[in-house]
Amino acid sequence: MDAVEEFLADVHRLTAQGTGTPVCGRRGHPAGHLCLVPPAEIGLEELQEAIGSRFGEPRRLATGGTADPAASARTGLPLLAPFGERVVEMRAWAYGDRWIGCGTTRTGDGDVRLVVLVAEREDPAAGLPEPASWVDGVVAVTGWDTDRARTVDWAAVETRLGTGLPADYKRLAEIFGGAGAFDGYLQLHVPDAPFDSSDIVRHTEWLGEWARTRGSDLWEPYPVYPAPGGLLQWAGTEQADGFYWLTGDPDPDKWPVLAKEDVPDSWQRFDGTTGEFVHRLLTDPDHPFSSARWFDLHWFQSYGT
């Protein structure tokens, strides 16, 4: 293991749930975070890229000596607090109940030095009003910045697929961007994703062709879309769990969710919306595919657009 990988392993260990309040040993630094010593042979951009390869696309908290004026406890302010006006650059990653920060600060002598720290992360949904919808609830519990939403040409997407799509799924795909995973686990399939496996159009076309030419035994007793009433996949996991809609109803908003582990005869049906399914997966420890059993706080790990 080289120095960078060893350093990333140290960062990851500090994000473990239930490790208590981190305490920094640097003079004048308050409790609630821990500063680390980065490898001497790596620069800022390379280190941010290395952290991003493990924790996804970061949020920009400070650029060129100017901090985000809207920074709050929900968006990463604990990463700026130890350094005050000395912060030059800072990128932030959420991971469970921790923030990870990487940037530069000015010393008392005016030099610029590389800093990495792990800080406590508050519950992003604490103190917020009751969400108006399941999708709003997903935004609240992940602390996601809706300013990062994108525009999707749904008419073109649905024309290519040959079907409409559930409205709340489309909101999730717009709000949460090009590709990514909730709690680093549930990966959405979205239009124009950077990878074929997570692009809802390209993956649907590939899956339909596979079922047509090789059979749909893997999905029995259900057919695979575009077969009438077939399964259309909208999410998956690294553990090969699959999440589908059963497309028989002419109204996509009434499609149930069917979920399957990577074992035969493991189908489970959920008669609710996509947004409700995601929200319950994040927050209900009794949900069969719950990530709430492993994480007290939740996040969306973006893979970029």
Side-chain angles (χ1 to χ4, degrees), residues 197-283:
S197 60
S198 56
D199 184 288
I200 192 166
V201 174
R202 301 197 299 272
H203 183 73
T204 298
E205 292 172 342
W206 173 83
L207 201 60
E209 181 64 14
W210 171 285
R212 186 186 69 80
T213 58
R214 305 189 187 187
S216 56
D217 293 354
L218 293 173
W219 298 273
E220 288 183 344
Y222 304 102
V224 174
Y225 186 84
L231 297 166
L232 198 164
Q233 189 170 7
W234 60 272
T237 74
E238 289 186 358
Q239 292 74 28
D241 302 322
F243 304 89
Y244 303 80
W245 297 298
L246 192 60
T247 61
D249 197 294
D251 182 356
D253 291 331
K254 296 180 180 179
W255 290 348
V257 170
L258 268 68
K260 181 182 184 299
E261 299 177 67
D262 190 28
V263 294
D265 302 320
S266 60
W267 289 107
Q268 298 195 55
R269 175 172 172 144
F270 301 87
D271 288 302
T273 68
T274 310
E276 179 180 356
F277 182 90
V278 174
H279 188 272
R280 292 193 184 281
L281 180 146
L282 293 174
T283 60

Side-chain angles (χ1 to χ4, degrees), residues 119-131:
E120 289 181 306
R121 178 175 177 245
E122 297 180 6
D123 182 351
L128 294 181
E130 189 72 18

Side-chain angles (χ1 to χ4, degrees), residues 19-76:
T19 54
T21 300
V23 178
C24 187
R26 295 193 178 184
R27 182 183 303 174
H29 281 205
H33 79 282
L34 180 64
C35 290
L36 293 88
V37 179
E41 66 270 26
I42 192 169
L44 174 62
E45 291 187 7
E46 185 182 356
L47 185 54
Q48 288 177 342
E49 184 176 340
I51 296 173
S53 69
R54 183 167 296 195
F55 296 98
E57 188 176 77
R59 183 192 305 255
R60 291 177 178 267
L61 282 181
T63 302
T66 301
D68 179 1
S72 68
R74 290 184 75 246
T75 61

Side-chain angles (χ1 to χ4, degrees), residues 71-137:
S72 68
R74 290 184 75 246
T75 61
L77 186 60
L79 298 172
L80 299 177
F83 310 106
E85 296 181 353
R86 294 184 289 113
V87 174
V88 180
E89 302 284 337
M90 185 63 69
R91 303 293 179 266
W93 293 262
Y95 189 93
D97 61 0
R98 293 290 187 261
W99 287 109
I100 302 163
C102 177
T104 54
T105 65
R106 294 195 183 278
T107 67
D109 298 328
D111 295 331
V112 175
R113 65 181 177 89
L114 186 61
V115 294
V116 177
L117 68 159
V118 175
E120 289 181 306
R121 178 175 177 245
E122 297 180 6
D123 182 351
L128 294 181
E130 189 72 18
S133 69
W134 291 111
V135 173
D136 291 334

Side-chain angles (χ1 to χ4, degrees), residues 163-189:
T163 180
L165 295 171
D168 65 340
Y169 158 78
K170 291 191 283 190
R171 280 199 66 211
L172 285 170
E174 290 171 348
I175 290 170
F176 288 92
F182 294 98
D183 284 0
Y185 165 70
L186 179 74
Q187 183 172 336
L188 285 178
H189 291 190

